[in-house]
Amino acid sequence: MIYWSTSSITTAMRLYAEDFSIKKRALKLENFPDFWDEASAKTVDPELTVNQVVRTHALSIPSPVPTWALQARYELTFQPANVLKYKYPNLINVTVLDEGGHFLAFEMPAVVADDVFNAVSAFRDWHKNKAKEGKTEL
């Protein structure tokens, strides 16, 4: 309802269109292992190395923005942490819950709130460390 009333339904639909496209489903991300090694890469494509598999099958344009992910393991759009790391090189943490689903904030509000506070704290620390290195946009 919020998407309709704020005239932002198009951006919400774009995510569904991308996540449920034939091209994305062909990647079979649900079969990707949680930890990549050469043997697991061979199960996806025997001709490619682990880096080639992830870059070919799971990587779009990387985003350098510090990122924190909170996911329900059985959500339709679940992405393994190793795949997220290629998309988000500054992935600070991935919290994976065995419970919950698509409406995680409604289903487990306290868990989501705690994770958001942890993420904000981690982002502040990340930016402080980058500032010490002289490498921050803030």
Side-chain angles (χ1 to χ4, degrees):
M1 184 66 184
I2 292 172
Y3 291 120
W4 286 111
S5 61
T6 60
S7 299
S8 59
I9 193 69
T10 303
T11 53
M13 293 298 110
R14 188 196 103 239
L15 295 174
Y16 288 102
E18 290 175 1
D19 278 341
F20 299 113
S21 69
I22 292 170
K23 181 179 176 184
K24 178 96 178 245
R25 285 194 316 260
L27 301 177
K28 298 182 179 174
L29 291 175
E30 68 275 6
N31 297 331
F32 279 28
D34 286 334
F35 176 77
W36 280 99
D37 57 19
E38 290 300 326
S40 61
K42 298 300 180 198
T43 65
V44 177
D45 189 329
E47 302 297 319
L48 301 177
T49 67
V50 66
N51 285 334
Q52 291 169 326
V53 167
V54 173
R55 290 179 194 281
T56 302
H57 293 282
L59 178 65
S60 55
I61 300 169
S63 172
V65 175
T67 305
W68 183 289
L70 171 62
Q71 304 185 84
R73 183 175 306 281
Y74 302 105
E75 166 65 73
L76 289 173
T77 58
F78 178 79
Q79 297 278 313
N82 57 333
V83 173
L84 291 173
K85 188 67 177 172
Y86 280 90
K87 170 70 178 173
Y88 305 101
N90 291 316
L91 183 65
I92 294 172
N93 184 64
V94 177
T95 304
V96 178
L97 304 174
D98 288 328
E99 300 176 24
H102 190 67
F103 298 103
L104 198 55
F106 290 118
E107 298 169 25
M108 306 172 73
V111 172
V112 172
D114 288 344
D115 213 56
V116 168
F117 284 117
N118 290 336
V120 170
S121 177
F123 292 147
R124 287 180 175 160
D125 291 344
W126 186 88
H127 281 289
K128 284 178 189 173
N129 290 336
K130 288 295 180 183
K132 287 178 187 174
E133 298 171 13
K135 299 178 182 177
T136 185
E137 67 279 356
L138 297 179

